[in-house]
Amino acid sequence: MTGKVYLIGAGPGDVGLMTCRARELLAQAEVVVYDALVGDAVLSLVPPEAECINVGKRAGNHTRSQWQINEILLEQALKGRMVVRLKGGDPFLFGRGGEELELLHQNGVPYEIVPGITSAIAVPAYNGIPVTHRDFCSSVHIITAHKKKDQPLDIDFEALVRTRGTLVFLMGVTALSAICQGLLAAGMNPDMPAAVLHRGTSAYQKRVVATVSTLPEAAAAMEAPSIIVVGKVCALAEEFAWAENRPLFGKRFLVTRPRERASELTRRLRELGAEVVEFPTMQTRALPEASLEALANCSWLVFTSPSGASAFFQVLKAQRKDIRCLARLKIAALGPGTAKELEKRDIFPDVVPETYDAQGLAKALTEQLQPGDKVFLPCAAGETPGLKKYLTDLPGVEIAAVSVYEKTNTLPAILKPMELLDDHTWAIFASGSAVRGFAAAAGQEDLSQVRALCIGAQTKAQAEQYHMHTKTAKTATLDGLVALALDCDKEEA
């Protein structure tokens, strides 16, 4: 049976600019053939079980020829697999998408095109440059400035100057001087505003705005990937700049929470302007066969994490039980995140401690528990809950710690943890198990350069065992992590 190839545009880098259709298909992919310019946050969405083939091209460094890429797509489809060809920007705008379809078409392989947002429009927009503006121009022209080695640019500069429109040159930063010289020789005003925009829509975004005559010198330090914009609209960049005005612009965070728990933190960080790469180091799975017999004799039900709460109710459902079996119980939750998980089921805990850690919860429970009380404590398989050791010595109190879920290491199929770290990037850890999962993924790598934002003291202690540079949230909550992210670069007193 022949498979199918989906030629998908991943957009300019910011995962928020990826289309819904692209994300839907990527989540189902069996094989992902991807380019160098696809953003890390996009790559983090690749299913862990998918086969990943890197065919990225950089200047002077092609991992595969175009013909080899075409053959890979055909070969994988003929094996009956669902193949996602993931390309930066839009696959039909200088992306050689048409060439990749020719061989598939000749061999009767079905395919689908999913357009993407091109950097030619998005990157200027993220830099405050509208590519068209009624007061300045009425057209925009997108030109590839890629050329063969030791050959001149094959561009009709006179025709471009006559358009009096905005000119966007892709793949042209190495030919910047030749482009500007060509435009000047064709009669362009030397004072025409022009800009070089580097890695737009990412945490590394930066720009240089000058004129056609001065841009080569002003932007001499700019490297690929960058685009060149020429036109009067470039003069609006400083006035309309918006991306860098966000509080977390220029920051990048690796969110290591399980993917089902990461969405709210990810959303809030991105809303504040950060680039976020979801890098779940573990996943949780409820254990439907978990024994709940002890629950019948307990007077307290205590949840220490949202994952434990969610798994507990999944086990209840699997065993055809509902909240009526909790009618006699008092319920405690470690913090507002866990309480919120309970509130989804219209359950409001009797106890939520002021300090959101095991010691704080133990202190709050000590004031409530009576001799003869039995506490049902849902937990993860293979782990001894920290709360249990604090409650063990209470006279006449019995603790039933029951494994209702398990944690397993899981990582994005493509990304390597230490390759994601640089001066822009912090790793965020909301549990000690997330730290351990990250360390396992890093293997023998030195973790002393990891900058870690930790939700609480126990997570911090775990990170420091790996010699990470740590900072800790003032409150062990989502709000606390966001506040810590906002202050992450401030020197500690």
Side-chain angles (χ1 to χ4, degrees):
M1 178 181 175
T2 302
K4 186 172 182 178
V5 175
Y6 295 87
L7 189 57
I8 291 176
D14 182 344
V15 69
L17 300 181
M18 193 177 183
T19 67
C20 296
R21 178 62 172 160
R23 294 185 69 142
E24 173 189 336
L25 291 170
L26 185 57
Q28 304 171 42
E30 295 177 288
V31 182
V32 178
V33 183
Y34 66 100
D35 281 348
L37 292 180
V38 176
D40 290 334
V42 174
L43 293 178
S44 75
L45 301 176
V46 174
E49 64 276 10
E51 179 181 351
C52 302
I53 304 174
N54 181 4
V55 296
K57 299 176 182 179
R58 295 287 193 186
N61 181 22
H62 292 189
T63 58
R64 298 283 202 286
S65 69
Q66 186 59 54
W67 178 252
Q68 288 175 317
I69 295 172
N70 301 348
E71 289 281 358
I72 288 170
L73 298 178
L74 176 61
E75 177 187 356
Q76 294 297 328
L78 291 178
K79 290 180 180 179
R81 307 177 82 180
M82 177 184 172
V83 183
V84 164
R85 174 68 173 106
L86 197 59
K87 304 174 76 71
D90 180 89
F92 276 7
L93 184 64
F94 305 133
R96 305 185 75 168
E99 296 175 48
E100 295 181 0
L101 295 185
E102 288 176 0
L103 190 60
L104 300 176
H105 183 74
Q106 292 167 8
N107 287 271
V109 172
Y111 53 82
E112 183 176 320
I113 314 303
V114 181
I117 295 177
T118 173
S119 62
I121 306 298
V123 170
Y126 267 56
N127 281 275
I129 299 174
V131 292
T132 63
H133 190 293
R134 189 168 60 173
D135 295 337
F136 299 115
C137 64
S138 58
S139 64
V140 58
H141 309 269
I142 304 171
I143 309 102
T144 175
H146 181 72
K147 66 183 181 69
K148 294 183 178 179
K149 188 176 180 180
D150 300 324
Q151 292 190 13
L153 289 169
D154 184 19
I155 297 175
D156 188 342
F157 287 107
E158 292 184 358
L160 291 178
V161 172
R162 285 197 300 270
T163 67
R164 295 188 295 176
T166 302
L167 309 178
V168 181
F169 295 89
L170 304 184
M171 299 174 286
V173 69
T174 57
L176 177 59
S177 293
I179 290 170
C180 291
Q181 290 170 9
L183 292 171
L184 291 170
M188 180 168 280
N189 184 339
D191 294 328
M192 177 66 72
V196 174
L197 312 176
H198 176 69
R199 295 190 68 172
T201 79
S202 78
Y204 308 90
Q205 174 175 308
K206 58 182 177 180
R207 69 174 173 273
V208 172
V209 180
T211 66
V212 172
S213 60
T214 61
L215 189 62
E217 181 178 356
M222 298 286 264
E223 300 176 342
S226 297
I227 72 172
I228 302 164
V229 184
V230 179
K232 295 178 181 179
V233 289
C234 292
L236 299 171
E238 297 305 316
E239 180 182 354
F240 288 171
W242 62 273
E244 58 260 45
N245 294 332
R246 297 172 296 172
L248 287 177
F249 172 78
K251 302 288 190 303
R252 197 167 80 133
F253 299 97
L254 305 186
V255 173
T256 61
R257 303 186 83 188
R259 199 175 295 281
E260 66 272 14
R261 297 285 165 204
S263 58
E264 179 63 15
L265 178 59
T266 295
R267 182 193 66 78
R268 292 179 63 176
L269 293 174
R270 286 177 178 157
E271 186 69 22
L272 291 167
E275 180 180 345
V276 181
V277 179
E278 290 190 355
F279 192 81
T281 60
M282 64 175 184
Q283 64 181 3
T284 60
R285 185 184 73 86
L287 301 173
E289 68 282 2
S291 175
L292 302 181
E293 290 182 7
L295 195 63
N297 299 316
C298 288
S299 48
W300 280 87
L301 176 58
V302 179
F303 296 102
T304 59
S305 71
S307 294
S310 175
F312 175 82
F313 287 101
Q314 289 179 57
V315 174
L316 274 187
K317 183 176 181 180
Q319 298 183 11
R320 305 293 294 172
K321 298 177 181 178
D322 59 33
I323 59 174
R324 287 175 293 181
C325 68
L326 310 182
R328 301 173 296 96
L329 296 169
K330 289 186 176 181
I331 296 176
L334 180 60
T338 306
K340 186 176 181 179
E341 189 67 36
L342 297 175
E343 288 171 12
K344 291 178 183 177
R345 298 163 175 84
D346 296 326
I347 295 174
F348 301 92
D350 300 283
V351 173
V352 179
E354 293 182 5
T355 303
Y356 309 136
D357 57 24
Q359 283 181 286
L361 181 56
K363 180 180 178 182
L365 285 172
T366 299
E367 298 171 356
Q368 299 275 341
L369 293 172
Q370 302 295 323
D373 278 342
K374 294 183 179 180
V375 177
F376 191 94
L377 183 58
C379 61
E383 293 187 4
T384 301
L387 178 66
K388 183 177 180 179
K389 70 178 182 179
Y390 293 118
L391 297 179
T392 300
D393 295 334
L394 291 180
V397 174
E398 182 180 338
I399 310 298
V402 177
S403 299
V404 298
Y405 69 107
E406 64 179 0
K407 299 177 181 178
T408 56
N409 288 344
T410 180
L411 297 166
I414 300 172
L415 305 177
K416 307 300 179 187
M418 300 307 289
E419 294 176 3
L420 295 170
L421 298 175
D422 54 29
D423 291 342
H424 291 260
T425 308
W426 290 79
I428 297 181
F429 297 109
S431 67
S433 54
V435 176
R436 293 190 293 273
F438 186 92
Q444 300 301 312
E445 296 277 359
D446 177 14
L447 300 181
S448 63
Q449 301 305 309
V450 177
R451 300 191 300 170
L453 303 183
C454 302
I455 196 168
Q458 292 176 319
T459 304
K460 172 185 171 70
Q462 185 70 76
E464 288 181 342
Q465 286 189 19
Y466 296 101
H467 309 291
M468 296 181 185
H469 172 70
T470 63
K471 291 191 175 185
T472 309
K474 292 182 179 179
T475 60
T477 63
L478 208 61
D479 288 340
L481 280 175
V482 172
L484 183 61
L486 286 165
D487 292 337
C488 63
D489 284 338
K490 288 185 179 179
E491 294 294 330
E492 296 181 354

